[in-house]
Amino acid sequence: MAVSETELMLKGYGLTTAEMFYHMPDYPHVLNTFIWQDYDLAPDHNKLLNFISFWQKEIEGALHSVRFSHRKMIAPGEWRNVVGEFPLH
């Protein structure tokens, strides 16, 4: 069963965005970029490291460098379930 993004964020996951710079297979002196995004746990970043490992095994373009950022969208202490109705006029 798939877990929703909100459930992941409540478990401490944050949005990780990585920019991969890689050498074009046919033109090794030319760099290209690829953007990858997923919810991941800091500081281990297992999903990102698994993707980099997959890239190195399966993709022809050799990685030059990887730049990434991680941001927690919400934390468990910040979430409040508010139920209510506010009538206007």
Side-chain angles (χ1 to χ4, degrees), residues 19-88:
E19 183 178 22
M20 319 277 193
F21 293 88
Y22 65 96
H23 296 276
M24 297 287 292
D26 294 337
Y27 304 96
H29 298 293
V30 176
L31 287 178
N32 203 358
T33 61
F34 177 81
I35 302 295
W36 175 90
Q37 231 178 15
D38 203 350
Y39 287 95
D40 207 355
L41 281 172
D44 297 332
H45 298 289
N46 289 330
K47 286 187 178 183
L48 175 60
L49 295 176
N50 287 340
F51 183 76
I52 291 171
S53 176
F54 166 80
W55 183 294
Q56 292 173 332
K57 292 176 192 170
E58 303 294 330
I59 307 294
E60 286 186 37
L63 284 174
H64 174 270
S65 59
V66 177
R67 182 171 57 173
F68 74 97
S69 67
H70 178 84
R71 174 143 166 78
K72 279 188 154 185
M73 306 304 272
I74 60 173
E78 297 172 358
W79 175 259
R80 293 187 310 154
N81 185 16
V82 179
V83 178
E85 189 174 316
F86 299 100
L88 296 174

